[in-house]
């Protein structure tokens, strides 16, 4: 092994009952580089990282992992052993304690102790110096519960960095971050690289690989299909390697003719917990149109759609008109009666009952359709849910398996199936492709196009500018609870959207 | 790692055996409980030289579980939604003393010598008191948003006071004719056999009907032999049970409270699986936010579950008064512990979202089996508590351990 290789996988194979998650994986990570790891969901990225982090200890896989030239043997409290070795991981799912402060979270489990009691002053001052060193926009005494999801992610990264990591693994760190926060993360990673920290970077956002990584390893079905300098690749090539075929276009485009206005929002103001969250939002949605909503985290995008769905803030002034008639929607039941459907952000938290089956999740919002007023006819429920799951090509061993066991893309399809079964006129989709692999994203885009062609008006919130531009007919941009303007996608550019989204115009 | 689309059959590498093992692991707690039950019966049968499995004892055993198990059926749904009800025992106790008071004092003056009318009136009042209490608790919990733990804990205190007020510290007799039949009577032996025949016929009809519907939708049908064997198994269990209780020479037949319990258990099971109300309970417990955004009224659902719980406490209270034949200051005290333990032994998750009524019935039977057996062995009551508590913790420990090894 040469001097500058920090980590080497040699023929690593990991099997689960009935499934080979990793098969003969071999590649090298150089010291101090930012090493991208990409592949569709289920390609084995997370499994590989869990071996490094000690979640799957030494002996539960075959093959060798060389770390600083020695075989890595993480055993007996393997997760703590990984931390001691200097391997830190930031998971996609946040692992913070909401009721604790940023400082308490960062030092959770290794609080500085002075004569048997916690040395709070040292804890806070050390936290402050970490946060300042990496220019993280949170304060040590902030309670995590009150932070935005982006700030939580920053805290998570600070926690990993505070443990003097030699290797930092970032598993989709940007999926919840705004563009500004992503920029800052990229700066942080450059700083770390300059200090000699090695990063393994996992994301579903192609542009980030090309922006930040030095080397890129592509996994497909548990095998390494390529490991080469990023400079030798193009986004199209990488997508092709990931899915095993050339992907000509990332955003399918159907010919569609938006019709009459079905939803009109005029100067909407709304308040929640004594704070004005919407300060003047106006837009219109037409039949068969995809309207994108762009904006940074905290711009009020999610607050807007949740308020439209009657589940968040109280409307204080302004109007919401459906088919020209003013309506007041109080609660999700009323929203459904008015023909609205909502594919919420964070499907695991808001969209699915994870331990229940695909059938039960799809039928949940629509049980009134099956049988009489009281009893549920299970046969017609099963038939309708199965038909929906087939229409949307949900991949699963059976419709009776728990949705918790499905991949992100398939889970999102189940949420969509639930709402399509309720036959909505307007479908609101809040960041529908977050954390979903390229192939599944493409399928969801095609579905959205098909729905729009059927005359359904779609409102799509997206954190990815390329996606907003690629999918929508028009884009409404929000900033600080206001609608800043609506652009026709044909004349919109990423720069124009960002100008509006940052309040510059 | 690739899965087939839902149209295609399950992965080929999955053999029938591995499918069965997986199934077994999923339902592990239920199966373990059945095995535990058989073991408990076996032990006591040997220890009591057979009198534990005598017709008399079997007949009593099921009747003894009925009061707490009636409430356990409702408790499953309460816990499934992520709530708890600590007041159930005392509510049943309060209902029982009110009913006893009416039986002993009121009805005899309002309509003397009309035992049937008196009994019916008692039932109506008893069920109403329970339901009204459930309405009040449900309203405070669901609409005024006070945690169920606190509301029902407060309730427990209040009811304890009300029981004292009602009884004035005295024991009130409730052993009047007709009314006593509710808790102490038996369905005559011939009718018991008739009932078995009706149930068997219904199971066959239901199976054929279900198969016809499935065929109409084009679903794959389970093998006919499997369906027939299932029905045969249920029928054999029923025949054995009725055969045993009918051979209890002093009082042959199915005890009425057992019949009532079976009826309630079947109805609540149906409600939990096949009505929107029941489905919503599991969805709320599984993911409250997702349920809310799916247009489910969480408040209304939780309110109704506490109303149902109150109603079942009313039923249990009436049976209790009739069964023991009097209302006392101690009525229903501590029953909430047996009720909650039955639900949890039966696989109900305290985290919400998971739990079955049949499971809770087996849990209730285990609790009753332990009490009865230890009593027959003349064990001190203290030992009964220690053993029941240990069994509860051990059962959950075993479940946690095995699930961990599985994943």
């Amino acid at each position: 092994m040469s001097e500058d290789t920090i980590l080497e996988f040699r023929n690593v194979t990991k099997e689960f009952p009935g499934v080979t998650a990793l098969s003969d994986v071999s590649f090298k990570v150089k010291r101090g580089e930012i090493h991208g790891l990409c592949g569709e969901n289920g390609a084995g990225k997370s499994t590989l990282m869990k071996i490094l982090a000690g979640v799957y200890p030494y002996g539960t896989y075959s093959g060798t992992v060389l770390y600083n030239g020695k075989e890595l043997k993480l055993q007996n409290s393997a997760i703590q052993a990984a931390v001691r070795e200097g391997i830190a991981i930031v998971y996609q799912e946040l692992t913070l304690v909401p009721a604790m402060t940023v400082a308490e979270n960062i030092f959770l489990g290794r609080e500085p102790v002075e004569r048997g009691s916690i040395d709070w002053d040292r804890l806070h001052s050390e936290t402050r110096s970490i946060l300042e060193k990496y220019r993280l926009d949170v304060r040590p005494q902030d309670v995590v519960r009150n932070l935005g999801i982006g700030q939580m992610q920053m805290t998570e990264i600070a926690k990993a960095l505070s443990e003097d990591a030699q290797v930092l693994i970032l598993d989709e760190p940007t999926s919840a971050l705004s563009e500004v926060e992503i920029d800052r993360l990229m700066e942080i990673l450059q700083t770390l690289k300059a200090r000699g920290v090695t990063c393994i970077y996992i994301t579903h956002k192609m542009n980030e690989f090309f922006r930040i990584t030095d080397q890129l390893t592509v996994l497909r079905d548990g095998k390494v299909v390529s490991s080469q300098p990023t400079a030798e690749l193009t986004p199209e090539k990488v997508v092709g390697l990931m899915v095993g075929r050339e992907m000509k276009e990332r955003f399918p485009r159907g010919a569609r003719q938006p019709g009459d206005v079905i939803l009109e929002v005029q100067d909407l103001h709304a308040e929640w917990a004594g704070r004005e969250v919407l300060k003047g939002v106006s837009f219109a949605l037409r039949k068969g149109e995809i309207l994108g909503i762009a904006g940074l985290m905290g711009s009020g995008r999610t607050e807007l759609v949740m308020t439209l769905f009657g589940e968040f803030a109280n409307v204080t002034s302004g109007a919401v008109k459906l088919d020209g008639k003013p309506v007041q929607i109080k609660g999700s039941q009323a929203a459904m009666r008015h023909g609205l459907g909502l594919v919420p952000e964070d499907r695991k938290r808001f969209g699915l009952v994870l331990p229940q089956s695909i059938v039960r999740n799809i039928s949940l919002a629509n049980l009134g359709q099956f049988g009489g007023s009281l009893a549920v006819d299970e046969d017609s429920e099963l038939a309708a849910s199965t038909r929906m799951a087939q229409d949307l090509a949900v991949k699963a061993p059976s419709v009776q398996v728990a949705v918790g066991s499905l991949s992100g893309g398939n889970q999102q399809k189940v949420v969509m199936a639930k709402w399509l079964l309720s036959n909505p006129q307007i479908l609101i989709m809040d960041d529908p492709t977050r954390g979903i692999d390229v192939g599944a994203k493409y399928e969801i885009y095609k579905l959205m196009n098909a729905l729009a062609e059927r005359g359904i008006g779609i409102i799509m919130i997206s954190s990815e500018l390329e996606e907003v531009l690629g999918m929508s007919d028009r884009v409404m941009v929000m900033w600080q609870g206001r609608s800043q303007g609506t652009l026709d996608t044909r004349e919109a550019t990423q720069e124009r959207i960002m100008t509006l989204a940052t309040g510059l115009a | 790692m690739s899965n087939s689309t839902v149209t295609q059959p399950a992965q080929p590498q999955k053999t029938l055996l591995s499918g069965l093992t997986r199934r077994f692991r999923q339902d592990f707690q239920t199966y373990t409980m059945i095995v535990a039950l058989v073991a408990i019966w076996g032990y006591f049968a040997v220890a009591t030289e057979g009198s534990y499995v005598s017709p008399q004892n079997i007949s009593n055993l099921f009747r003894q579980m009925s009061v707490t198990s009636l409430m356990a059926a409702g408790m499953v749904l309460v816990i499934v939604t992520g709530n708890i009800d600590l007041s159930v025992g005392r509510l049943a106790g309060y209902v029982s003393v009110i009913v006893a008071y009416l039986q002993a004092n009121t009805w005899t003056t309002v309509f003397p010598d009309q035992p049937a009318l008196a009994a019916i009136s008692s039932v109506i009042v008893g069920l109403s008191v329970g339901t009204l209490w459930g309405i009040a608790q449900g309203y405070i919990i669901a609409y005024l948003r006070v945690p169920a733990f606190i509301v029902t804990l407060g309730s427990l205190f209040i009811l304890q006071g009300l029981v004292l007020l009602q009884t004035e510290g005295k024991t009130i007799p409730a052993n009047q004719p007709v009314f006593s039949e509710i808790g102490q009577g038996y369905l005559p032996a011939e009718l018991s056999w008739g009932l078995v025949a009706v149930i068997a016929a219904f199971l066959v009809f239901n199976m054929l009907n279900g198969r016809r519907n499935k065929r109409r939708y084009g679903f794959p049908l389970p093998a006919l032999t499997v369906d027939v064997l299932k029905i045969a198994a249920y029928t054999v269990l029923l025949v054995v049970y009725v055969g045993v209780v009918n051979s209890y020479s002093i009082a042959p037949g199915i005890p009425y409270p057992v019949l009532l319990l079976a009826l309630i258990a079947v109805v609540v099971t149906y409600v939990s699986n096949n009505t929107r109300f029941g489905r919503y309970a599991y969805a709320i417990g599984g993911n409250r936010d997702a349920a809310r955004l799916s247009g489910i009224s969480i408040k209304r659902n939780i309110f109704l579950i506490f109303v149902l719980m109150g109603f079942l406490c009313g039923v249990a209270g009436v049976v209790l008064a009739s069964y023991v034949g009097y209302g006392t200051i101690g009525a229903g005290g501590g029953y909430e512990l047996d009720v909650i333990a039955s639900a949890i032994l039966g696989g109900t998750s305290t985290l919400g979202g998971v739990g079955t009524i049949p499971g809770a019935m087996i849990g209730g039977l285990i609790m009753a089996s332990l009490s009865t057996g230890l009593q027959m062995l003349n064990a001190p009551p203290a030992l009964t508590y220690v053993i029941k508590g240990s069994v509860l913790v051990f059962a959950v420990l075993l479940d946690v351990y095995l699930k961990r090894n599985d994943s």
Side-chain angles (χ1 to χ4, degrees):
Chain A
M1 178 181 276
S2 62
E3 185 55 40
D4 63 347
T5 301
I6 185 164
L7 199 59
E8 183 178 354
F9 295 92
R10 279 190 193 160
N11 313 101
V12 173
T13 298
K14 167 81 186 163
E15 287 180 340
F16 293 106
V19 179
T20 304
L22 292 173
S23 154
D24 212 15
V25 166
S26 303
F27 69 94
K28 291 178 186 174
V29 178
K30 287 201 202 83
R31 188 181 306 280
E33 76 176 356
I34 300 180
H35 192 109
L37 192 58
C38 71
E40 292 195 278
N41 282 350
K45 301 171 305 227
S46 296
T47 310
L48 195 59
M49 292 306 106
K50 281 178 179 165
I51 286 176
L52 272 188
V55 177
Y56 303 133
Y58 178 74
T60 62
Y61 56 89
S62 65
T64 355
V65 182
L66 293 172
Y67 178 60
N68 285 324
K70 292 200 299 280
E71 182 165 13
L72 188 68
K73 290 182 179 174
L74 301 171
Q75 280 164 303
N76 305 331
S77 339
I79 295 173
Q80 285 90 319
V83 172
R84 276 197 302 278
E85 291 281 350
I87 300 171
I89 183 161
V90 176
Y91 289 103
Q92 191 180 347
E93 264 94 44
L94 297 171
T95 55
L96 301 170
V97 183
M100 288 187 172
T101 65
V102 168
E104 285 168 323
N105 266 290
I106 288 176
F107 282 93
L108 190 63
R110 44 193 190 92
E111 295 82 354
V113 174
E114 187 70 37
R115 279 194 298 265
S117 68
I118 294 175
D119 185 348
W120 290 107
D121 292 336
R122 209 175 113 205
L123 191 147
H124 279 105
S125 78
E126 283 186 17
T127 303
R128 180 163 297 115
S129 68
I130 293 164
L131 295 175
E132 275 167 9
K133 188 158 131 199
Y134 300 109
R135 299 207 297 130
L136 297 171
D137 186 23
V138 284
R139 290 172 302 175
Q141 70 273 25
D142 283 341
V143 175
V144 165
R145 181 190 289 128
N146 303 332
L147 299 178
I149 194 161
Q151 291 175 306
M152 288 188 196
Q153 191 69 272
M154 294 287 171
T155 309
E156 192 87 58
I157 291 168
K159 186 176 171 181
L161 291 174
S162 72
E163 295 173 37
D164 291 322
Q166 280 190 58
V167 176
L168 179 66
I169 302 163
L170 296 154
D171 192 353
E172 287 196 57
T174 63
S175 55
L177 300 192
S178 68
E179 299 283 332
V180 178
E181 288 166 330
I182 291 172
D183 285 346
R184 192 164 304 148
L185 178 69
M186 297 287 152
E187 283 171 33
I188 294 167
L189 291 180
Q190 295 293 3
T191 317
L192 288 173
K193 186 180 165 182
R195 287 165 188 262
V197 176
T198 311
C199 282
I200 298 180
Y201 195 85
I202 301 175
T203 183
H204 280 301
K205 296 182 185 169
M206 203 50 64
N207 60 353
E208 286 170 11
F209 285 127
F210 287 90
R211 196 167 152 190
I212 192 90
T213 64
D214 305 301
Q215 180 91 5
L216 196 56
T217 297
V218 184
L219 290 174
R220 187 170 75 224
D221 297 334
K223 297 186 184 73
V224 174
V225 288
S226 147
S227 187
Q228 53 187 311
T230 314
E232 296 171 4
L233 291 160
T234 64
E236 288 70 28
K237 262 193 204 163
V238 175
V239 171
L241 286 168
M242 280 166 71
V243 299
R245 59 182 186 273
E246 282 285 331
M247 190 78 94
K248 284 279 178 288
E249 44 170 4
R250 282 173 59 197
F251 303 103
R253 208 52 209 243
R256 53 173 182 260
Q257 283 296 323
D260 301 333
V261 169
I262 41 171
L263 170 70
E264 199 177 355
V265 174
Q266 291 169 336
D267 199 27
L268 194 70
H269 289 251
E271 211 178 65
W272 187 69
R275 200 166 58 88
E276 191 168 44
V277 288
L278 297 179
K279 305 167 187 166
V281 178
S282 305
F283 70 92
L285 173 72
R286 288 175 294 171
K287 259 185 169 50
E289 177 185 47
I290 299 180
L291 175 74
I293 298 184
L296 305 174
M297 278 287 155
S299 63
R301 310 174 309 185
T302 297
E303 288 83 348
L304 169 67
V305 295
M306 292 295 270
T307 304
L308 287 177
F309 207 66
E311 280 292 345
F312 186 59
N314 296 315
V315 174
T316 47
S317 72
V320 177
K321 290 181 185 172
L322 286 172
D323 289 322
K325 287 186 284 290
V327 290
Q328 279 192 316
I329 295 172
K330 292 218 167 90
S332 48
Q333 268 172 319
M336 287 171 66
R337 272 199 304 278
H338 281 110
L340 267 64
L342 172 74
V343 177
E345 67 165 344
D346 199 344
R347 58 190 162 267
K348 284 188 185 164
R349 191 166 152 210
F350 296 110
L352 296 166
V353 185
L354 293 173
Q356 290 192 357
S357 66
I358 295 176
V359 175
R360 290 216 168 178
N361 271 281
I362 292 178
S363 66
L364 185 59
N366 312 290
L367 286 179
Q369 291 178 18
F370 311 116
S373 57
L374 204 65
V376 175
D377 176 2
E378 288 190 300
D379 288 324
S380 70
E381 178 196 13
L382 178 61
S385 303
T386 308
R387 183 166 42 76
M388 238 33 243
Q390 284 169 358
D391 283 357
L392 271 63
V394 175
K395 282 181 197 146
S398 127
V399 286
Q400 302 294 359
V401 301
V403 290
S405 67
L406 302 181
S407 70
N410 282 305
Q411 287 183 345
Q412 192 67 304
K413 285 183 189 172
V414 171
V415 181
M416 286 180 75
K418 169 167 83 175
W419 287 108
L420 294 182
L421 194 56
S422 78
N423 207 8
Q425 296 306 300
I426 297 168
L427 187 63
I428 301 168
M429 304 180 80
D430 193 347
D431 227 344
T433 63
R434 181 179 155 193
I436 290 179
D437 63 64
V438 181
K441 268 187 185 176
Y442 192 77
E443 286 184 57
I444 288 184
Y445 296 146
K446 280 201 298 193
L447 269 170
M448 289 170 67
N449 283 335
L451 296 175
E453 276 160 37
R454 266 202 256 158
I456 296 176
I458 298 178
I459 297 175
M460 177 190 68
I461 292 181
S462 174
S463 298
E464 288 178 60
L465 289 176
E466 289 174 26
E467 180 178 85
V468 176
L469 287 170
M471 285 306 296
S472 346
D473 297 295
R474 292 181 305 138
V475 185
M476 194 262 277
V477 186
M478 291 188 71
W479 175 66
Q480 295 198 344
R482 293 181 187 88
S483 52
Q484 286 285 94
T486 305
L487 307 169
D488 196 303
T489 321
R490 277 167 299 192
E491 56 205 38
T493 60
Q494 297 202 13
E495 288 71 28
R496 282 198 62 186
I497 293 177
M498 279 318 290
T499 314
L500 290 171
T502 49
L504 295 175
Chain B
M1 192 130 214
S2 67
N3 284 318
S4 46
T5 5
V6 286
T7 40
Q8 284 153 8
Q11 292 118 308
Q13 72 260 36
K14 216 168 271 157
T15 62
L16 179 68
L17 193 65
S18 78
L20 278 178
T21 354
R22 202 166 49 91
R23 181 72 215 258
F24 178 77
R25 293 221 161 161
Q26 274 169 4
D27 291 342
F28 183 78
Q29 201 161 6
T30 317
Y31 291 114
T32 342
M33 288 307 109
I34 294 172
V35 171
L37 188 63
V38 172
I40 289 167
W41 284 11
Y43 170 75
F44 284 126
V46 173
T48 61
E49 288 161 355
S51 61
Y52 188 78
V53 287
S54 69
Q56 178 188 2
N57 194 50
I58 296 293
S59 184
N60 281 333
L61 177 61
F62 282 86
R63 192 168 56 182
Q64 233 173 40
M65 74 179 271
S66 60
V67 173
T68 49
S69 297
L70 278 167
M71 295 188 276
M75 188 60 81
V76 169
L77 292 181
V78 169
I79 298 178
V80 156
T81 55
N83 287 290
I84 191 76
D85 191 340
L86 301 174
S87 71
V88 290
R90 275 303 177 173
L91 180 52
Y94 182 53
V95 169
S96 81
V97 295
I98 285 187
V99 168
Y101 182 86
L102 293 172
Q103 282 289 336
N105 305 322
T106 316
W107 306 146
T108 46
T109 51
V110 182
F111 25 75
D113 300 324
Q114 297 242 41
L117 189 57
I120 291 168
S121 308
S122 292
V123 170
I124 292 171
V125 173
L127 301 190
S128 307
V129 170
T131 310
L132 286 172
W133 199 270
I135 288 173
Q137 286 201 142
Y139 184 80
I140 297 171
I141 291 162
Y143 291 98
L144 304 182
R145 299 177 188 204
V146 184
F149 187 93
I150 293 162
V151 174
T152 59
L153 182 63
S155 247
L156 175 69
F157 280 108
I158 296 168
L159 287 161
Q160 198 138 358
L162 292 178
V163 168
L164 285 174
L165 274 180
Q166 188 68 50
T167 56
E168 297 170 322
K170 293 192 276 282
T171 297
I172 310 167
N175 52 358
Q176 298 77 9
V178 182
F179 183 73
S180 294
E181 285 293 304
I182 299 171
Q184 300 178 20
Y186 298 85
L187 187 70
E190 298 76 26
L191 285 179
S192 294
W193 283 123
L195 187 67
V196 172
V198 169
I199 292 172
F202 173 76
L203 287 175
V204 171
F205 166 79
N206 200 34
M207 182 262 285
L208 292 175
N209 199 30
R211 292 181 74 91
R212 198 176 56 234
N213 282 337
K214 281 201 169 57
R215 201 172 297 123
R216 205 169 57 216
Y217 282 104
F219 297 145
L221 288 174
L224 188 64
T225 44
V226 173
D227 274 352
V228 169
L229 279 176
K230 243 190 236 167
I231 292 178
Y234 285 130
T235 312
V236 166
L237 277 179
L238 279 174
V239 167
V240 169
Y241 173 73
V242 172
V244 170
V245 294
N246 275 357
S247 63
Y248 174 29
S249 51
I250 301 170
I254 305 172
Y256 282 130
V258 175
L259 212 52
L260 186 65
L261 174 63
L263 178 72
I264 298 258
V266 168
V267 170
V268 180
T269 303
Y270 181 82
V271 164
S272 70
N273 289 327
N274 293 65
T275 66
R276 277 191 259 170
F277 167 70
R279 289 291 189 83
Y280 290 170
Y282 286 84
I284 290 169
N287 186 343
R288 207 182 169 92
D289 288 317
R292 183 168 52 84
L293 290 176
S294 298
I296 293 167
S297 169
I298 303 214
K299 290 176 184 170
R300 187 168 160 269
N301 208 271
I302 288 180
F303 171 71
L304 288 175
I305 278 172
F306 277 94
V307 175
L308 174 68
M309 187 72 246
F311 171 79
L312 290 174
C313 290
V315 177
V318 172
V319 173
L320 177 64
S322 168
Y323 173 45
V324 297
Y326 45 78
T328 64
I329 49 168
Y335 281 22
E336 63 278 355
L337 305 177
D338 277 85
V339 172
I340 295 169
S342 302
I344 289 170
L345 270 183
T348 307
S349 161
T350 47
L351 300 174
V354 179
T356 67
I357 281 102
M361 295 302 113
I362 293 170
L365 189 54
I366 287 181
M367 284 290 169
S369 301
L370 287 171
S371 304
T372 320
L374 290 164
Q375 246 165 37
M376 291 178 79
L377 292 178
N378 284 325
L383 191 63
T384 312
Y385 284 115
V386 171
I387 288 182
K388 277 184 174 177
S390 312
V391 166
L392 177 67
V393 174
F394 181 72
V396 177
L397 181 74
L398 195 66
D399 186 56
V400 168
Y401 176 76
L402 287 160
K403 274 192 186 133
R404 190 187 302 142
N405 275 12
D406 194 25
S407 62

